[in-house]
Amino acid sequence: MTRKQKRGVLIGAAVAILAIAVIMVAMALRDTIVFFQTPSDVAEGKVQPGERFRLGGLVEDGSVKRGQGTKVKFAVTDTLQSVSVSYEGILPDLFREGQGVVTEGRLDSSGLFVADTVLAKHDENYMPPEVAAALKEKGVKLGSGAEHPDDKSN
Amino acid sequence: MIVEFGHFALVLAVVVALFQTVVPLWGTLSREPRLMETAKPAAIVQLLLLLVAFLALTHAYVTSDFSVANVVANSHSTKPLIYRISGVWGNHEGSMLLWVLILAAFGAAVAIFGNNLPLSLRANVLSVQASIALAFGVFILATSNPFLRLEDVPIDGRGLNPILQDPALAFHPPFLYAGYVGFSIAFSFAIAALIEGRIDAAWARWVRPWTLAAWMCLTLGIAMGSWWAYYELGWGGWWFWDPVENASFMPWLAGTALLHSALVMEKRETLKVWTILLAILTFSLSLMGAFLVRSGVLTSVHAFAVDPERGVAILAIMTIFVGGGLALFALRAGELRQGGLFAPISREGALVLNNVLLTTATATVFVGTLYPLLLEGLTGAKISVGPPYFNLTFVPLMVPLLIALPFGPFLPWKRGDIVAVSQRLIWAAVLALVAMVATMALSQRGPWLAPIMMAVGVYVMAGAVQELAYRAKIGSAGRDEILRRLRNLPRSIYGTTLAHFGVGVMVVGIVATSAYQTEKVLVLKPGDTAEVAGYTLTFKGVAPHKGPNFREQLGTIEVMRDGTPITTLHPSKRIYDSPPQPTSEAGIHASWRGDLYTVLGDAQEEDGGYAFRFYFNPLVRLIWLGALIMFIAGGVSLSDRRLRVGAPKRTSRAETPAGVVAAE
């Protein structure tokens, strides 16, 4: 093989691998990303039942009800709207009424959000940025610790 | 007083860094050896000053000096000594100080051990290194000063986030930073080479040990972080494709590629331009990691201190170094002559494939980590990219890499014979098939791909061993000859074998845990039993218990297997005294077969039952064992005489005009 051919094979192989990777990334981004929605978004009908998404907001005061075994129900609110959530499993340590929470799952036909993941945060002052931004957008005043989590978050 | 002393030392260190940035570079530009020679003492003085600053802060932590704001925010007088010390870097300000300390330590190491470097190259490297320290030093003084005093001294501190009070996490950041920051040396060497406009095999020989040392630290740091997340967060997982994890993983991937491409450059004087680019990119990814973790732009389960102002400052530093580095690269790379020729099927070809796959994989992680940020900026839509994305993009790129991996060391330089190598790997393939059949026989469920991936892991392990066997002529030579050969093989060969073996071990652990994990969530009342992966778990009850700085509800679970008691596990729910934060402590029974992992959940309101989450993670220990093997492999390789810092001697060329050498 000449110098040019050798280089051609190498560059060709590299470009082929890159092209495959680009296609895989594009397909994966189309199929696997999950959108973040607030209870108001849900109320406005932005999400179809069965579509997987993340629901974020505050755990509504007085809404947490434990059912049989590890089943639990609570409501997520952005103080304007709220969505009922059902979850089966163990809640994170920092799950508390009035605290920020992000859950992932699907709406069923009755409008109940069936979550399979409830995300915990390490820090009691930590507010997931999406939740903080979404609440701010809705004009909700947050406690001082929530919007500017202080330095001891890890 | 000591605190002010430390503060003053930090300011002086920044001044020294400024001197070290300007004077040696001026010396190389004006060809004035006396100015170039100032780099060495400056680098050492800078290290000593930063050491004083760091020890002063550590002293404030150890003695619980609550007149210092940083100590108040992150420490508490009742904390055990080790966590008072680790508290120094358990927060943004202190960890930045550690960051510049390590930066200076690497610079001083080059100054001390780099006596054989051409004077101008050493001056330029130390100048670039000091410019990074200067940027971060100014950043610390301006936005993140750990030495600030409080006017009203509180009686006690606020404490360290309790989940950070853990031995693995105490030492995770220093290793991680040593890795991140260690790549700065490769960056400085790359920039110095671009400034000088020449680069050769010796350059790669000088850069490789530093890169290897950084890579070792990063490997261990990431593994410790993963191990900590595994047993501390109580999710039973060991890797979450979380942005913060990705931020440390991207430099690791790029650094791994850099180690391999520098090898080609050292041995064959080719891939020069690419290696330089990779050195710049690797450190750029380290800087980006610092930015992502500290600016709060990304949602993460373990985000660092969130402060937009600091984020902007780090972004500015990053832009200067990444942008400046790439611009210099664009200007000068054309002057670097390409070297030797090689056929696509050859050691060089295999290492190019390694580089293409590793950098493409880095790019997929990059896209997955930053796409949410981009989309939010463009459309305002908030999305999350989770494990499914990485399973569809990153993992498929790793499969060809792993299949090609054992071929690499067998292929000769310049031109190789793929058929001959395949024949040599026949035993590895046979072992892999055995592993596949065994996996299928042992597991009744799990994805169809899992036995194949188990086979790939075993094949990588066996291939690594077989390479050593081939070099020692095991099977064809006599016993004495084999022993003689084994003795005479260079350590770097053992390092390669061991590192590749570690990759295989890790793959087996990852596949087994991901595909065959058992998870059970259920409610038990005292006296109830549950069956998990062949173990019988009996819940004995929950009792309150008091620790040194926490109170806890301590669960007791007796574990039996085939009628014989194995162990008693104590998963618990803790509340720390300061800050009063609840955490879960998993009860884990570890064995080679796998980990039995138990988490205590909430009490049921009516009947005295408790929710539990049980996992069985088969072979999960192999993941961290694999990383540990890779770390040790790096050490073995580093102890090789040829790689040892200061091996090659070159003096005369330092004075040759740049153009002449570049054309060699």
Side-chain angles (χ1 to χ4, degrees), chain A residues 1-3 5-7 9-10 13-15 17-18 21-22 24-29 31-37 54 66-70 87-94 96 104 119-126 128-131 133-134 137 148-154, chain B residues 73-74 93 158-159 161 163-164 228 233 235 296 298-306 310 339 341-344 352-353 356-357 360 364 367 371 375 381-385 388-389 392-393 396-397 521-523 573 579-584 599 601-605 611-613:
Chain A
M1 273 195 277
T2 63
R3 190 187 181 104
Q5 279 173 324
K6 283 176 180 175
R7 189 165 289 175
V9 171
L10 281 175
V15 169
I17 290 174
L18 264 178
V22 168
M24 286 192 313
V25 165
M27 278 169 53
L29 281 180
D31 297 340
T32 64
I33 57 168
V34 217
F35 281 84
F36 177 91
Q37 311 284 5
R54 280 189 170 188
R66 288 179 201 282
Q68 271 290 307
T70 53
Y87 174 68
E88 182 161 9
I90 293 181
L91 290 166
D93 296 324
L94 293 174
R96 243 173 286 147
E104 193 172 319
L119 289 185
K121 296 297 158 187
H122 289 179
D123 190 308
E124 74 265 41
N125 290 325
Y126 183 80
E130 298 103 334
V131 175
E137 226 168 76
H148 294 290
D150 65 340
D151 291 350
K152 71 182 194 289
S153 58
N154 45 19
Chain B
N74 301 293
E93 290 84 354
R158 276 188 281 161
N161 189 332
I163 59 168
L164 302 181
W228 167 80
L233 296 184
W235 302 340
L298 290 175
T299 317
S300 161
V301 281
H302 23 196
F304 222 104
V306 179
R310 286 173 189 161
L341 265 180
F342 56 90
V352 168
L353 180 68
V356 171
L357 288 169
T360 311
T364 63
V367 171
Y371 185 65
L375 197 69
K382 295 186 186 69
I383 60 159
S384 79
V385 174
Y389 164 84
L392 284 176
T393 56
L397 284 167
V521 178
L522 31 86
V523 172
K573 284 181 100 63
Q581 183 176 323
T583 73
S584 287
V599 184
D602 292 319
Q604 299 296 301
E605 269 142 30
F612 280 96
R613 189 159 41 186

Side-chain angles (χ1 to χ4, degrees), chain B residues 14 24 44 143 181 188 237 298 302 372 386 410 425 429 434 455 463 493 495 501 562:
Chain B
V14 170
I44 295 167
T143 72
V181 177
S188 297
L298 290 175
H302 23 196
F410 273 112
L425 281 169
V434 171
I493 299 274
F501 186 79
D562 303 329

Side-chain angles (χ1 to χ4, degrees), chain B residues 403-452:
Chain B
I403 291 173
L405 189 151
F407 281 86
F410 273 112
L411 283 166
W413 296 104
K414 288 174 95 169
R415 193 180 303 111
D417 181 353
I418 196 115
V419 179
V421 175
S422 309
Q423 283 166 350
R424 284 182 203 134
L425 281 169
I426 193 84
W427 285 109
V430 170
L431 265 177
L433 274 177
V434 171
M436 187 166 84
V437 174
T439 311
M440 287 197 282
L442 283 171
S443 62
Q444 294 84 27
R445 55 190 184 82
W448 61 271
L449 208 56
I452 299 175

Side-chain angles (χ1 to χ4, degrees), chain B residues 277-294:
Chain B
L277 179 64
L278 210 48
I280 296 175
L281 287 181
T282 302
F283 185 59
S284 302
L285 288 168
S286 295
L287 285 178
M288 195 189 73
F291 167 68
L292 289 182
V293 175
R294 288 156 201 277

Side-chain angles (χ1 to χ4, degrees), chain B residues 511-537:
Chain B
V511 175
T513 305
S514 314
Y516 302 113
Q517 184 187 56
T518 311
E519 181 182 358
K520 270 190 184 170
V521 178
L522 31 86
V523 172
L524 298 179
K525 277 177 271 185
D528 285 353
T529 62
E531 297 284 332
V532 180
Y535 292 100
T536 308
L537 281 63

